[in-house]
Structures are given as structure tokens and as C-alpha cells.
Amino acid sequence: MEALNILFFLILLPPTIFLFRALYLIFQICTSDCKLVSQETTLKTIFCIGSGGHTTELLRLVKKLSTQKYQPRLYIIADNDVSSEVKILNSESTKFSISRIPRSRNVKQSYLSSVISTLYAILRTIPVVYRFKPNVIFCNGPGSCVPICIVAFLLRCILILDCRIVFVESICRVRTLSLTGKILQYIADIVIVQWPQLRDVCFRAKYFGRLT
Amino acid sequence: MEKQYKKCFVTVGTTRFDLLVNTIFKPSTLEALKRIGCKDIILQIGNSDFEIGKYERNGVVIDVYRLKDSIQEDIHKADLIISHAGAGSCLEALEAKKPLLVVINEDLMDNHQLELAEQLQIDGHLYYCTCDTLESTLEMVDFTLLSPFPEPDTSLFMKYLDDAFRVKQNVD
């Protein structure tokens, strides 16, 4: 009986520690300014590229970022996305690489099947994020950035990674957050909105005027 | 004298918007467009159910095509833009400082893009209507009252990022 108790204790201990660590991290993300002081001279940066309008919006923002500070750069795009690659090639002026992951949710997909395909996308994203070990992740709303951010968050929970997530809500969202925004507002370190009235919907959102 | 909008560019985006295409071809719409000076229409129809080609209806030349890599050139040549509510097309037209009328696709009622069109009308950068009200809107509104869309400004955001993420400076 005694041995069984110890066994249970040993099995339950890691998940409990993990849970507390995750909750603590969310608390930290939501309450502090999440500054990052790197010992390196550059920041390894991931850009989560979505599709269509999202790609254009994010690339415009990327153009304003310092090419020396945010280096090396990795673009993650959906595996069935062809047009984004051309757009990246046209807009990027420094060295970068591209990784492809499966789409977590296609337009008009049901909720249940999107949960399953998101789990699959998460599994495929783990090696990509783990190998690159980013310092900063930029994303702006397409569903495909959710698995990347979740993987980064989980790796942060188990102290493998120390990175910051910057989420910029699309200019299209005036009064309500996108589904991605609703999820990422808890795990993104910096949440940016482009309309002042969105600050009433999301307590953490910062507004610096229109960016794109 | 009223401003003349000789060249008009109509865009429905990459999907389809049959109702808008058909509304443009209605004689009453063309008459309303003619009253504000329209002589040429370039009509981008995407996957809408319509034959491409050059048409002449009610004395207006209508040039119909499906898709182009970039609609920027058509936007710059036009005096007036009639667009679907897609954020990409709307912002492109506003950035080119062209008078813009957005036609909402009511078949996509849950579409959040309506939010953007509404807000931009409140801010006085464009007008929006539906296919049913396109004709009356063209008669009613004065595009010269629209205010230009300000340039985006990322400087505050970049300053915030620089402050939040610091790297070791190269001394040498």
C-alpha cells in the first residue's frame, strides 16, 4: 500500500510541477513587461507567416525591423502556401530561411477536426522551433501561428527555451479580437492592437497607432 | 462644378461576388455612374460567374478580367474605386488616396471585414453600401468630402520593441 502511494506520487509529481510552472508563466507574462536582455549581439527571430492579407501586413512590419538586430531570421509558412514564399523573397533584404508546417485550420473547417489538425501541427512544429531556439517570435493573426506559439510556450515551461512572443492583431479587427488573438492574449508577451477601442476587449493590448 | 470620375475601377477580390458584377451591368447603375462622369469601367471579377471581355453598355465601356498579380496599376489609373470589403483592396485604394466606395457582400454576414469598412466610414475615409443601395449611394454621396487616409506610423512601436528587447552592443 505504501509502495503504491509512492508510485502515484512519483507519477503525479511531474505533471503537477509542469502545471504550476505553466500557470506561473502565464501570470508572469500577463503582469510583467517581459523584457529580454540578450547576452548575444543579435536576436534569433521567427516570423509566422499566414496567408494573403496577413502575409502582406506582417512583411510590411518586418521591413521596419533592424536587419542587424533581428538575425538570423526564420519564416514559418503553411505547407500548401505558394504565394507567401514569393512575397517573402520580394520583400526580404537580408539572409533568411523558410520552414514549412502543416496548416492547423483550413477555412470553414469544423471545430473538432481543427483541434485534431492543430495537435498534428503542434507535433510537427516542435522540431522546427526546438532546433532554431528563437529569442523572439512575431506573428499577426493567421491560425498557423497558434501551434508555433504553443510549442514555444511549452518549451519555455520546461526551461528549454527563453523567448518572447509578439502578437500584432490584424488591422481588420476593429472591435473584436480574432480567434488567434483570443488564444494568444494569454501566452504572447506583447499584444499589439491597431484600433484603440480593442483595448477595452483585451486588457493587455497595447496601441501604438496604425502600423500597416 | 461637380468632380468627374471618368475612369472607374471595380474589384471583387480573389473569390467571387456575382451580385456586384451583375449590379454594375444593370442599366440603372450605369446611368448613375454616368451622372458622376464615368465613361470607362475596369471590372475585376475573380471567380464570379461572368464572361471576360470588353463590353459597351449604355455608352460606358466595361473591360472585364478575372485576376492580376497586382491591382495597383488599375487603382492608380482610376478616378473612383468600387471595391468589395476585403482589407487588402480597401487599404490599397486608400493608400493611393483614391475615392473609395465599398460594397458589402451580405452573403458573408459573419464576415468581420464589415467592421473595418464601418470604422473607416465613421472616420470619413470611405463610403460603404450594399448592392441594393449602390445606385442610390452613388447619387447621394460626395466623394470630395472624404479625408485622406493617414500614413501608418510604426515609430512608437519600434521604440517600444527596442526598449523591451536589448542585445549586447558591439563595442568595436
Side-chain angles (χ1 to χ4, degrees), chain B residues 49-75:
Chain B
D49 185 17
F50 206 86
E51 285 297 313
I52 56 166
K54 218 165 192 160
Y55 298 81
E56 196 179 333
R57 296 285 153 86
N58 295 51
V60 182
V61 180
I62 309 171
D63 198 345
V64 182
Y65 73 87
R66 290 203 182 273
L67 288 170
K68 273 183 198 170
D69 284 339
S70 166
I71 55 168
Q72 203 146 24
E73 199 192 319
D74 289 321
I75 285 177

mmCIF file of all heavy atoms in Angstrom, chain B residues 49-75:
data_model
loop_
_atom_site.group_PDB
_atom_site.id
_atom_site.type_symbol
_atom_site.label_atom_id
_atom_site.label_comp_id
_atom_site.label_asym_id
_atom_site.label_seq_id
_atom_site.Cartn_x
_atom_site.Cartn_y
_atom_site.Cartn_z
ATOM 1 N N ASP B 49 -19.311 34.403 -61.793
ATOM 2 C CA ASP B 49 -19.873 33.730 -62.954
ATOM 3 C C ASP B 49 -20.170 34.773 -64.041
ATOM 4 O O ASP B 49 -21.268 35.325 -64.090
ATOM 5 C CB ASP B 49 -21.155 33.003 -62.511
ATOM 6 C CG ASP B 49 -21.728 32.177 -63.622
ATOM 7 O OD1 ASP B 49 -20.995 31.904 -64.592
ATOM 8 O OD2 ASP B 49 -22.920 31.820 -63.527
ATOM 9 N N PHE B 50 -19.173 35.038 -64.877
ATOM 10 C CA PHE B 50 -19.361 36.051 -65.922
ATOM 11 C C PHE B 50 -18.277 35.856 -66.973
ATOM 12 O O PHE B 50 -17.194 35.364 -66.679
ATOM 13 C CB PHE B 50 -19.265 37.461 -65.303
ATOM 14 C CG PHE B 50 -20.027 38.490 -66.084
ATOM 15 C CD1 PHE B 50 -21.375 38.695 -65.867
ATOM 16 C CD2 PHE B 50 -19.383 39.253 -67.046
ATOM 17 C CE1 PHE B 50 -22.071 39.640 -66.591
ATOM 18 C CE2 PHE B 50 -20.081 40.198 -67.777
ATOM 19 C CZ PHE B 50 -21.428 40.391 -67.550
ATOM 20 N N GLU B 51 -18.574 36.220 -68.209
ATOM 21 C CA GLU B 51 -17.594 36.106 -69.288
ATOM 22 C C GLU B 51 -16.673 37.323 -69.302
ATOM 23 O O GLU B 51 -17.143 38.452 -69.192
ATOM 24 C CB GLU B 51 -18.312 36.002 -70.641
ATOM 25 C CG GLU B 51 -18.949 34.651 -70.898
ATOM 26 C CD GLU B 51 -17.930 33.521 -70.960
ATOM 27 O OE1 GLU B 51 -16.898 33.675 -71.652
ATOM 28 O OE2 GLU B 51 -18.156 32.487 -70.292
ATOM 29 N N ILE B 52 -15.362 37.067 -69.445
ATOM 30 C CA ILE B 52 -14.455 38.202 -69.542
ATOM 31 C C ILE B 52 -14.520 38.786 -70.955
ATOM 32 O O ILE B 52 -15.017 38.151 -71.882
ATOM 33 C CB ILE B 52 -13.004 37.818 -69.179
ATOM 34 C CG1 ILE B 52 -12.520 36.665 -70.055
ATOM 35 C CG2 ILE B 52 -12.886 37.436 -67.726
ATOM 36 C CD1 ILE B 52 -11.021 36.471 -69.999
ATOM 37 N N GLY B 53 -14.023 40.003 -71.113
ATOM 38 C CA GLY B 53 -14.037 40.641 -72.423
ATOM 39 C C GLY B 53 -14.361 42.115 -72.316
ATOM 40 O O GLY B 53 -14.437 42.664 -71.216
ATOM 41 N N LYS B 54 -14.515 42.743 -73.469
ATOM 42 C CA LYS B 54 -14.817 44.171 -73.499
ATOM 43 C C LYS B 54 -16.279 44.362 -73.887
ATOM 44 O O LYS B 54 -16.735 43.806 -74.877
ATOM 45 C CB LYS B 54 -13.900 44.885 -74.496
ATOM 46 C CG LYS B 54 -13.483 46.244 -74.001
ATOM 47 C CD LYS B 54 -12.314 46.798 -74.790
ATOM 48 C CE LYS B 54 -11.772 47.998 -74.061
ATOM 49 N NZ LYS B 54 -10.439 48.359 -74.415
ATOM 50 N N TYR B 55 -17.002 45.108 -73.104
ATOM 51 C CA TYR B 55 -18.414 45.326 -73.358
ATOM 52 C C TYR B 55 -18.668 46.821 -73.531
ATOM 53 O O TYR B 55 -17.908 47.642 -73.025
ATOM 54 C CB TYR B 55 -19.269 44.848 -72.177
ATOM 55 C CG TYR B 55 -19.163 43.371 -71.888
ATOM 56 C CD1 TYR B 55 -18.091 42.865 -71.158
ATOM 57 C CD2 TYR B 55 -20.149 42.486 -72.312
ATOM 58 C CE1 TYR B 55 -18.001 41.513 -70.874
ATOM 59 C CE2 TYR B 55 -20.065 41.125 -72.034
ATOM 60 C CZ TYR B 55 -18.990 40.651 -71.307
ATOM 61 O OH TYR B 55 -18.912 39.318 -71.031
ATOM 62 N N GLU B 56 -19.745 47.143 -74.240
ATOM 63 C CA GLU B 56 -20.200 48.522 -74.211
ATOM 64 C C GLU B 56 -21.680 48.547 -73.895
ATOM 65 O O GLU B 56 -22.496 47.969 -74.615
ATOM 66 C CB GLU B 56 -19.917 49.253 -75.532
ATOM 67 C CG GLU B 56 -20.052 50.739 -75.293
ATOM 68 C CD GLU B 56 -19.765 51.594 -76.518
ATOM 69 O OE1 GLU B 56 -18.996 51.162 -77.396
ATOM 70 O OE2 GLU B 56 -20.338 52.695 -76.565
ATOM 71 N N ARG B 57 -21.999 49.154 -72.765
ATOM 72 C CA ARG B 57 -23.392 49.202 -72.319
ATOM 73 C C ARG B 57 -23.743 50.634 -71.955
ATOM 74 O O ARG B 57 -22.998 51.281 -71.211
ATOM 75 C CB ARG B 57 -23.600 48.312 -71.067
ATOM 76 C CG ARG B 57 -23.376 46.833 -71.285
ATOM 77 C CD ARG B 57 -24.546 46.195 -72.046
ATOM 78 N NE ARG B 57 -24.085 45.025 -72.789
ATOM 79 C CZ ARG B 57 -23.990 43.794 -72.286
ATOM 80 N NH1 ARG B 57 -24.331 43.596 -71.042
ATOM 81 N NH2 ARG B 57 -23.564 42.805 -73.024
ATOM 82 N N ASN B 58 -24.880 51.092 -72.444
ATOM 83 C CA ASN B 58 -25.372 52.445 -72.121
ATOM 84 C C ASN B 58 -24.302 53.509 -72.346
ATOM 85 O O ASN B 58 -24.200 54.470 -71.592
ATOM 86 C CB ASN B 58 -25.858 52.526 -70.670
ATOM 87 C CG ASN B 58 -27.072 51.641 -70.447
ATOM 88 O OD1 ASN B 58 -27.059 50.453 -70.800
ATOM 89 N ND2 ASN B 58 -28.117 52.209 -69.894
ATOM 90 N N GLY B 59 -23.447 53.312 -73.323
ATOM 91 C CA GLY B 59 -22.423 54.311 -73.610
ATOM 92 C C GLY B 59 -21.226 54.261 -72.677
ATOM 93 O O GLY B 59 -20.401 55.163 -72.662
ATOM 94 N N VAL B 60 -21.130 53.192 -71.854
ATOM 95 C CA VAL B 60 -19.977 53.028 -70.970
ATOM 96 C C VAL B 60 -19.181 51.802 -71.430
ATOM 97 O O VAL B 60 -19.764 50.748 -71.690
ATOM 98 C CB VAL B 60 -20.415 52.836 -69.498
ATOM 99 C CG1 VAL B 60 -19.210 52.719 -68.589
ATOM 100 C CG2 VAL B 60 -21.316 53.963 -69.052
ATOM 101 N N VAL B 61 -17.862 51.973 -71.554
ATOM 102 C CA VAL B 61 -17.017 50.845 -71.943
ATOM 103 C C VAL B 61 -16.624 50.065 -70.685
ATOM 104 O O VAL B 61 -16.100 50.645 -69.729
ATOM 105 C CB VAL B 61 -15.754 51.338 -72.688
ATOM 106 C CG1 VAL B 61 -14.877 50.153 -73.081
ATOM 107 C CG2 VAL B 61 -16.149 52.136 -73.920
ATOM 108 N N ILE B 62 -16.910 48.775 -70.682
ATOM 109 C CA ILE B 62 -16.609 47.961 -69.498
ATOM 110 C C ILE B 62 -15.609 46.871 -69.887
ATOM 111 O O ILE B 62 -15.887 46.038 -70.745
ATOM 112 C CB ILE B 62 -17.880 47.316 -68.911
ATOM 113 C CG1 ILE B 62 -18.962 48.380 -68.713
ATOM 114 C CG2 ILE B 62 -17.566 46.630 -67.588
ATOM 115 C CD1 ILE B 62 -20.311 47.807 -68.345
ATOM 116 N N ASP B 63 -14.454 46.909 -69.250
ATOM 117 C CA ASP B 63 -13.390 45.952 -69.540
ATOM 118 C C ASP B 63 -13.350 44.942 -68.396
ATOM 119 O O ASP B 63 -13.059 45.295 -67.258
ATOM 120 C CB ASP B 63 -12.063 46.731 -69.624
ATOM 121 C CG ASP B 63 -11.007 45.926 -70.343
ATOM 122 O OD1 ASP B 63 -11.216 44.708 -70.507
ATOM 123 O OD2 ASP B 63 -9.977 46.517 -70.722
ATOM 124 N N VAL B 64 -13.685 43.681 -68.694
ATOM 125 C CA VAL B 64 -13.820 42.687 -67.624
ATOM 126 C C VAL B 64 -12.651 41.706 -67.652
ATOM 127 O O VAL B 64 -12.351 41.109 -68.685
ATOM 128 C CB VAL B 64 -15.147 41.903 -67.778
ATOM 129 C CG1 VAL B 64 -15.303 40.899 -66.645
ATOM 130 C CG2 VAL B 64 -16.330 42.849 -67.803
ATOM 131 N N TYR B 65 -11.972 41.543 -66.513
ATOM 132 C CA TYR B 65 -10.946 40.498 -66.403
ATOM 133 C C TYR B 65 -11.079 39.788 -65.066
ATOM 134 O O TYR B 65 -11.769 40.256 -64.168
ATOM 135 C CB TYR B 65 -9.545 41.084 -66.593
ATOM 136 C CG TYR B 65 -9.009 41.926 -65.438
ATOM 137 C CD1 TYR B 65 -8.340 41.317 -64.379
ATOM 138 C CD2 TYR B 65 -9.161 43.314 -65.421
ATOM 139 C CE1 TYR B 65 -7.844 42.073 -63.332
ATOM 140 C CE2 TYR B 65 -8.669 44.073 -64.378
ATOM 141 C CZ TYR B 65 -8.015 43.447 -63.329
ATOM 142 O OH TYR B 65 -7.526 44.200 -62.291
ATOM 143 N N ARG B 66 -10.390 38.635 -64.954
ATOM 144 C CA ARG B 66 -10.560 37.844 -63.722
ATOM 145 C C ARG B 66 -9.570 38.254 -62.625
ATOM 146 O O ARG B 66 -9.941 38.802 -61.613
ATOM 147 C CB ARG B 66 -10.407 36.349 -64.029
ATOM 148 C CG ARG B 66 -11.564 35.825 -64.844
ATOM 149 C CD ARG B 66 -11.774 34.337 -64.709
ATOM 150 N NE ARG B 66 -12.880 33.964 -65.573
ATOM 151 C CZ ARG B 66 -14.157 34.009 -65.163
ATOM 152 N NH1 ARG B 66 -14.451 34.333 -63.921
ATOM 153 N NH2 ARG B 66 -15.125 33.700 -66.003
ATOM 154 N N LEU B 67 -8.306 37.977 -62.847
ATOM 155 C CA LEU B 67 -7.309 38.246 -61.800
ATOM 156 C C LEU B 67 -6.034 38.792 -62.408
ATOM 157 O O LEU B 67 -5.696 38.499 -63.545
ATOM 158 C CB LEU B 67 -6.961 36.939 -61.049
ATOM 159 C CG LEU B 67 -7.994 36.337 -60.105
ATOM 160 C CD1 LEU B 67 -7.550 34.953 -59.682
ATOM 161 C CD2 LEU B 67 -8.213 37.212 -58.886
ATOM 162 N N LYS B 68 -5.308 39.570 -61.617
ATOM 163 C CA LYS B 68 -3.975 40.017 -61.990
ATOM 164 C C LYS B 68 -3.087 39.831 -60.768
ATOM 165 O O LYS B 68 -3.594 39.791 -59.647
ATOM 166 C CB LYS B 68 -3.991 41.502 -62.343
ATOM 167 C CG LYS B 68 -4.323 41.805 -63.783
ATOM 168 C CD LYS B 68 -4.227 43.305 -64.021
ATOM 169 C CE LYS B 68 -4.961 43.682 -65.303
ATOM 170 N NZ LYS B 68 -5.085 45.126 -65.444
ATOM 171 N N ASP B 69 -1.769 39.764 -60.972
ATOM 172 C CA ASP B 69 -0.871 39.651 -59.827
ATOM 173 C C ASP B 69 -1.023 40.851 -58.905
ATOM 174 O O ASP B 69 -0.995 40.731 -57.689
ATOM 175 C CB ASP B 69 0.591 39.556 -60.298
ATOM 176 C CG ASP B 69 0.892 38.174 -60.841
ATOM 177 O OD1 ASP B 69 0.134 37.245 -60.485
ATOM 178 O OD2 ASP B 69 1.841 38.025 -61.612
ATOM 179 N N SER B 70 -1.177 42.014 -59.506
ATOM 180 C CA SER B 70 -1.320 43.221 -58.695
ATOM 181 C C SER B 70 -2.349 44.139 -59.329
ATOM 182 O O SER B 70 -2.340 44.373 -60.539
ATOM 183 C CB SER B 70 0.028 43.935 -58.599
ATOM 184 O OG SER B 70 -0.166 45.224 -58.102
ATOM 185 N N ILE B 71 -3.260 44.640 -58.477
ATOM 186 C CA ILE B 71 -4.276 45.548 -58.999
ATOM 187 C C ILE B 71 -3.831 46.992 -58.833
ATOM 188 O O ILE B 71 -4.577 47.925 -59.108
ATOM 189 C CB ILE B 71 -5.643 45.343 -58.305
ATOM 190 C CG1 ILE B 71 -5.507 45.469 -56.781
ATOM 191 C CG2 ILE B 71 -6.255 44.012 -58.683
ATOM 192 C CD1 ILE B 71 -6.846 45.558 -56.073
ATOM 193 N N GLN B 72 -2.573 47.179 -58.405
ATOM 194 C CA GLN B 72 -2.076 48.512 -58.096
ATOM 195 C C GLN B 72 -2.180 49.469 -59.294
ATOM 196 O O GLN B 72 -2.594 50.610 -59.153
ATOM 197 C CB GLN B 72 -0.630 48.412 -57.652
ATOM 198 C CG GLN B 72 -0.199 49.587 -56.812
ATOM 199 C CD GLN B 72 0.796 49.184 -55.750
ATOM 200 O OE1 GLN B 72 1.499 48.185 -55.886
ATOM 201 N NE2 GLN B 72 0.874 49.964 -54.702
ATOM 202 N N GLU B 73 -1.821 48.937 -60.463
ATOM 203 C CA GLU B 73 -1.830 49.795 -61.645
ATOM 204 C C GLU B 73 -3.255 50.276 -61.955
ATOM 205 O O GLU B 73 -3.470 51.448 -62.237
ATOM 206 C CB GLU B 73 -1.254 49.006 -62.830
ATOM 207 C CG GLU B 73 -0.793 49.894 -63.959
ATOM 208 C CD GLU B 73 -0.508 49.080 -65.214
ATOM 209 O OE1 GLU B 73 0.077 47.983 -65.082
ATOM 210 O OE2 GLU B 73 -0.890 49.547 -66.306
ATOM 211 N N ASP B 74 -4.206 49.346 -61.868
ATOM 212 C CA ASP B 74 -5.596 49.719 -62.125
ATOM 213 C C ASP B 74 -6.091 50.738 -61.112
ATOM 214 O O ASP B 74 -6.867 51.637 -61.445
ATOM 215 C CB ASP B 74 -6.484 48.472 -62.108
ATOM 216 C CG ASP B 74 -6.231 47.597 -63.332
ATOM 217 O OD1 ASP B 74 -6.031 48.166 -64.415
ATOM 218 O OD2 ASP B 74 -6.226 46.366 -63.196
ATOM 219 N N ILE B 75 -5.640 50.579 -59.866
ATOM 220 C CA ILE B 75 -6.032 51.541 -58.830
ATOM 221 C C ILE B 75 -5.491 52.927 -59.164
ATOM 222 O O ILE B 75 -6.203 53.925 -59.088
ATOM 223 C CB ILE B 75 -5.534 51.052 -57.447
ATOM 224 C CG1 ILE B 75 -6.416 49.905 -56.953
ATOM 225 C CG2 ILE B 75 -5.526 52.197 -56.432
ATOM 226 C CD1 ILE B 75 -6.007 49.298 -55.655
#
